[in-house]
Each structure stands twice: as C-alpha cells, then as structure tokens.
Amino acid sequence: MIMAALNCRMSLILNKILTKPSAVFVHSVWLTKRTDRFLSCFGTNNQLHREKGNVSYRNVMTGKVDRFGGITVHLDERDFSPDVSERTFSFQLRDSLSQWRAEGRVAVWLHVPIAQSRYIAMAAEHGFTFHHARQDRSTLCLWLSEGKSRLPAFATHQVGVAGAVLDESSRKVLVVQDKNKTKNAWKFPGGLSDPGENIGDTAVREVLEETGVQAEFQSLLSIRQQHNHPGAFGMSDMYLICRLRPLTFHIDFCTQECLRCEWLPLEELAHTDATTPITSRVARLLLYGLHHGFHHIDLPVEQLPAVYSGMFYQLYHRALPVTAA
C-alpha cells in the first residue's frame, strides 16, 4: 500500500511537469546556457594563458630582476610560505623556471635560509648548484642563458690588515708577538678585515683590540699577495700594511692573542732577526720615510663617487705633483 501511494504521488508530479513548462525548468535552461558561456570564456582564457608561456602565474615565485638580466629570489620573504612541502616547492620552481626562460632571464639566484634547507635538494634536481654560504643562509645559482655560465665566482681572497703605528718623535713603532706561535717574531698588530670595512678602519680597530693603543690612519704602505695560504680555506690571501699615527701610548695588550707588546726602536726592528721578512722590509720603508719624507712611500686614500648612484669607493695611489693635478 505504501509503494502504491508513492507511485500515485509521483505520477501526479510528473504529469504537472510534462504538461506545461515550469519556472524551474526555464531557470534550469538559463543556468545551463550561463554555464556554457562561462566554460567557453574559461577555455579561451586558458588558451591565452598557455600562449603566454604555459605557466600559471600564481605559481611563479616573486623575484627581483637585476641589471644583468638575472633574477634573485629570497625564500624567506613574506610571499613564500615556509610550510610549503618539498613536492609543491619543486612544482612551483619548475613553473617559475619556465616563466623566467620565456621572459629571457639569463640566470637565477636563489637565497635559502638554513631553516628551509630541505628545499635545496629539490632545487638541485632542477640544475641549481651552490654558489656560497654565509652564516644562516646559502645562495644557489642556475645559468639559464645559452652557452657556458658567465656567473661570477664567490670571493676568492681573504684580506688581512696590519697597522704600523709609528711615533715620529721617538722613532719607535708598536709591535707584538703572537701567542701560541712556533716562532715568536715581532710583527705589526693586525687581523682580518670585516665585510664592508675599509682597510684603514680595520687597521685602527685591530691595533686597539690587540694593544689598547688608539691610532689614526695615515696611508697604505704595502700589499702582499699569497696563494695556498694555510687556514684560508683554499682562498688566496691579501695582506695590507697601513701607516698609523698614535693618539695614545699606553699599552694594554690582549693576553689571549699576544705574548708581548712593545714600542720598539724602528732601527732595531729594521735589522733584527727576530721578525718576519715583510715586517723588516716595511720597517726599512718607514725609515726611508722618516729621512726623506713620507710622500715618497705613502699611498694616501681618496674617496670618489662610484658609478652606482649614491655609492663611493676608496682609491689608494701616490699623490700627483701639483703641476699634474
């Protein structure tokens, strides 16, 4: 009885629908046409999108284009979520590379924070290699243009700077002996220059840290270049010696780095065997400056505007005669 009643009710409903068009039916036809138009437009947009590079723009990473035609991407910027899986990252990088190639980019620099190092293996699968790493991030690179990569290598030199602090009135120079050395020879206090630090500032800082003496930069005296330097991690070593003028004379040397520190007569330093060849040579250079004038040995510095807007560089050279200026 229940089934018979249901069949009877369904028959009445179907008769009403089939005998005259209803608003529901008309509305259904209208929705179908609207959907067809939407799908048609969607297909057209997709076709145009494929013609532009076959890449979904939403998947392309945001980067900064440099003046050489390369692009730099920092994975720790706000528009990149650190929760992205390795697989999703790989797809996104693939789409980005396709887009960048279509745009004619010549190279990609990818900066990866150490906390997101899991993405490095995915980048390697797309051809990226290490360029360098510093502190909490590594930089990967990929050459996109034709031919052999023309990307510059990372820094190949470390820069050491020493300060020859000369007291002209007493003709004495400040020297130290390094602690824990096989041969404790007299040398000028100094150390490695920090990135972005001028060599004159390095000399002043290192002298103060090692000896407690405050000094003022005067000039560059010499440059030594050495390859296969032990402790330089395979890099070449540049060692620069600057002439400084003392502002204080009291010695309070660092006992962790230095065994001894003294104001030594310049003539003694120039002829003693208890020193290094470069220290002895520079001591004789300073003696010549005392006798004939420091303008014969100094390479003074001049700050000049760089080609990059708002930047400057330091140029060291022998002063030009007034008639040639």
Side-chain angles (χ1 to χ4, degrees):
M1 291 179 63
I2 296 175
M3 290 300 297
L6 288 174
N7 288 336
C8 182
R9 190 172 183 83
M10 286 298 296
S11 297
L12 293 173
I13 294 173
L14 288 173
N15 285 333
K16 290 182 179 180
I17 293 176
L18 294 175
T19 54
K20 60 179 179 178
S22 66
V24 175
F25 180 75
V26 173
H27 187 63
S28 175
V29 172
W30 180 80
L31 282 176
T32 302
K33 291 181 178 180
R34 186 180 179 186
T35 304
D36 288 342
R37 288 196 301 270
F38 172 77
L39 292 175
S40 175
C41 293
F42 183 76
T44 302
N45 288 338
N46 266 358
Q47 180 65 29
L48 291 173
H49 200 64
R50 285 193 294 269
E51 290 174 358
K52 288 182 179 180
N54 196 28
V55 179
S56 172
Y57 290 115
R58 291 174 298 176
N59 288 334
V60 175
M61 298 176 181
T62 302
K64 183 177 181 181
V65 178
D66 59 42
R67 66 188 184 96
F68 301 104
I71 188 164
T72 300
V73 177
H74 293 267
L75 295 191
D76 55 353
E77 291 188 346
R78 289 175 296 178
D79 59 348
F80 186 85
S81 172
D83 300 325
V84 172
S85 68
E86 289 90 336
R87 183 178 177 84
T88 301
F89 170 80
S90 181
F91 289 151
Q92 188 176 11
L93 184 58
R94 177 202 62 192
D95 292 348
S96 300
L97 290 173
S98 297
Q99 180 64 29
W100 294 331
R101 285 189 174 97
E103 293 172 352
R105 304 300 174 211
V106 298
V108 183
W109 299 94
L110 189 63
H111 295 266
V112 185
I114 193 171
Q116 296 176 339
S117 297
R118 63 186 183 277
Y119 298 136
I120 292 178
M122 300 297 102
E125 291 183 358
H126 291 280
F128 280 84
T129 58
F130 282 116
H131 186 263
H132 67 274
R134 290 184 58 193
Q135 296 179 338
D136 63 343
R137 65 190 54 242
S138 59
T139 300
L140 282 65
C141 61
L142 177 63
W143 180 252
L144 297 181
S145 190
E146 297 180 355
K148 186 179 179 181
S149 172
R150 297 193 300 274
L151 292 177
F154 190 52
T156 56
H157 291 67
Q158 68 175 12
V159 180
V161 184
V165 186
L166 176 63
D167 178 16
E168 297 181 41
S169 59
S170 66
R171 299 171 65 92
K172 290 184 177 182
V173 64
L174 186 64
V175 288
V176 297
Q177 288 184 0
D178 284 340
K179 196 173 185 179
N180 301 322
K181 291 287 185 179
T182 304
K183 181 181 179 180
N184 289 314
W186 289 117
K187 60 183 284 290
F188 301 120
L192 293 179
S193 185
D194 292 332
E197 184 178 43
N198 291 336
I199 60 174
D201 295 336
T202 302
V204 170
R205 174 180 58 79
E206 286 289 340
V207 166
L208 180 61
E209 291 176 356
E210 290 192 7
T211 70
V213 173
Q214 297 181 8
E216 182 179 61
F217 173 80
Q218 298 296 297
S219 71
L220 175 64
L221 292 173
S222 67
I223 302 174
R224 182 210 68 192
Q225 184 178 25
Q226 180 178 346
H227 306 293
N228 299 318
H229 187 278
F233 303 99
M235 296 188 294
S236 296
D237 178 77
M238 303 290 289
Y239 179 62
L240 294 77
I241 299 180
C242 302
R243 182 170 73 88
L244 305 184
R245 182 176 69 88
L247 300 177
T248 63
F249 298 89
H250 175 70
I251 293 175
D252 183 17
F253 69 91
C254 176
T255 56
Q256 294 179 337
E257 295 188 41
C258 305
L259 181 66
R260 298 172 64 187
C261 178
E262 295 182 12
W263 288 101
L264 200 67
L266 189 57
E267 290 84 351
E268 181 179 343
L269 182 64
H271 299 97
T272 182
D273 293 332
T275 188
T276 64
I278 188 172
T279 304
S280 177
R281 179 68 62 88
V282 171
R284 294 199 297 271
L285 190 67
L286 289 170
L287 276 175
Y288 187 89
L290 277 174
H291 294 153
H292 302 284
F294 289 109
H295 64 279
H296 290 292
I297 66 170
D298 280 345
L299 295 177
V301 61
E302 183 178 0
Q303 182 165 280
L304 300 174
V307 294
Y308 305 102
S309 178
M311 300 182 68
F312 297 87
Y313 62 86
Q314 290 72 42
L315 181 65
Y316 299 82
H317 64 83
R318 187 71 57 82
L320 292 171
V322 177
T323 56

